[in-house]
Amino acid sequence: MRALNVAFNDAPRSLPLAERLADLAVDALIDEADLSPKPALVDRRSSGAHKDLHLGLMHASALSLWPAFKEMAEAAIEIGEIGQPLREAIGRIGREGEVAMMRTTGGVNTHRGAIWALGLLVTAAALDASDLSPAGLGLRAGCLALIEDRNQPVSNSHGAQVARKFGAMGAREQAQMGFPAVTQTGLPQLKRSRSTGNGEQNARLDALLAIMTTLSDTCVLYRAGEQGLQAMQHGAQKVLDAGGSATLSGRRALHELDQQLLSLNASPGGAADLLAACLFVDCLEPALGNETRNV
């Protein structure tokens, strides 16, 4: 998020850490939504495979989550350690954030998965602003995710249904493992593609595609089953094998993937959430540096 980093480096240093983290989380969600052309996802071109979504709604949803991200960071700063009290505090704040999101979108689920992923990472960053490395963030977020939230209602979400039906690793397991799709797949690809000098948007598209190659995306599984998941994973790998989104052959393969997923009504929403998480983690050290907590 290079252009975004400039804006935040110019921001007043007196801005509290919790507010800066919330700003960065919301910007990551907006950057993910704006990124184009994404296969079968909402972007600047269209609503992808979603008849109930559009880009303006994604922006409004992201902005509605700012208070929740800020409160999660504040809870981490106040409690100061990983444990049951912090886990249940961010669980409660996350559920309240989901209510605010649904109110904003008229009941449409735009960012439920992102609340979980980015909420944990915001909390992890606020716990130790001196270690914003992907490994450190993933470790702290994973430790938090492993703690049971005793107040969490029994879930019958699409992700939970798919996990039971297909035995797929969902968002919860991805978090409990420290977000390997972000730290081991998305971020390394983002940096590799940046090094070619072919532009930030292409690098971000390649990072999304890399996540798609291995992720058991429960959004795709719910909509299109194992056929859709295989189409997503193999199609994304084909784009990268063709040279990535910055090449002509890669763009042709990306267009084919888009058309195939649209025909299957398969939207890789889980991968999109993890790309937003990837962009958030990527921007933290440049935006915040090693500054101490300012609360």
Side-chain angles (χ1 to χ4, degrees), residues 12-176:
R13 288 292 177 178
S14 59
L15 196 64
L17 176 62
E19 294 189 14
R20 298 189 75 196
L21 288 169
D23 286 347
L24 292 170
V26 169
D27 278 328
L29 289 175
I30 291 175
D31 281 355
E32 181 281 314
D34 285 347
L35 182 64
S36 305
K38 298 194 300 290
L41 288 161
V42 176
D43 60 17
R44 290 187 177 277
R45 304 168 305 152
S46 71
S47 295
H50 298 274
K51 292 183 170 56
D52 56 350
L53 298 179
H54 55 81
L55 189 59
L57 193 66
M58 299 297 286
H59 283 196
S61 172
L63 291 166
S64 77
L65 295 174
W66 188 90
F69 291 139
K70 173 177 173 285
E71 289 176 34
M72 288 180 186
E74 289 174 337
I77 292 167
E78 179 180 351
I79 296 171
E81 62 181 6
I82 295 170
Q84 200 81 42
L86 180 57
R87 175 66 185 89
E88 294 184 350
I90 65 170
R92 172 186 55 79
I93 295 166
R95 290 188 290 275
E96 292 170 353
E98 184 177 327
V99 170
M101 176 195 75
M102 291 292 197
R103 187 184 306 120
T104 298
T105 64
V108 179
N109 172 23
T110 43
H111 285 123
R112 181 179 288 136
I115 296 172
W116 169 248
L118 279 170
L120 284 167
L121 290 167
V122 164
T123 304
L127 275 169
D128 186 359
S130 68
D131 179 11
L132 299 174
S133 67
L137 289 165
L139 177 61
R140 295 194 296 277
C143 289
L144 264 174
L146 284 167
I147 298 171
E148 180 186 0
D149 181 353
R150 296 168 299 186
N151 302 314
Q152 174 69 44
V154 176
S155 174
N156 194 36
S157 66
H158 292 170
Q161 293 176 43
V162 165
R164 290 192 295 268
K165 181 176 180 180
F166 295 101
M169 186 183 77
R172 183 167 302 279
E173 290 79 9
Q174 178 70 212
Q176 290 172 343

Side-chain angles (χ1 to χ4, degrees), residues 2 6 25 48 56 58 69 83-84 90 114 125 143 150 159 191 195 197 205 211 222 242 249 255 259 263 265 267:
R2 294 173 180 172
V6 173
M58 299 297 286
F69 291 139
Q84 200 81 42
I90 65 170
C143 289
R150 296 168 299 186
K191 293 174 181 178
S195 70
L205 283 170
I211 292 169
Y222 181 81
S249 56
H255 177 72
Q259 294 302 305
S263 70
N265 194 37
S267 172

Side-chain angles (χ1 to χ4, degrees), residues 188-255:
Q189 182 65 58
L190 182 67
K191 293 174 181 178
R192 282 195 300 272
S193 294
R194 277 178 179 161
S195 70
T196 66
N198 288 320
E200 182 67 12
Q201 295 301 298
N202 290 322
R204 292 178 181 184
L205 283 170
D206 286 351
L208 172 65
L209 291 161
I211 292 169
M212 289 167 60
T213 61
T214 59
L215 186 69
S216 295
D217 195 312
T218 54
C219 295
V220 171
L221 281 168
Y222 181 81
R223 284 169 163 258
E226 292 180 339
Q227 178 189 6
L229 184 67
Q230 290 176 7
M232 179 195 79
Q233 293 177 341
H234 295 162
Q237 188 63 58
K238 184 178 178 182
V239 179
L240 294 176
D241 289 345
S245 58
T247 68
L248 180 58
S249 56
R251 281 292 170 132
R252 286 173 175 158
L254 181 58
H255 177 72

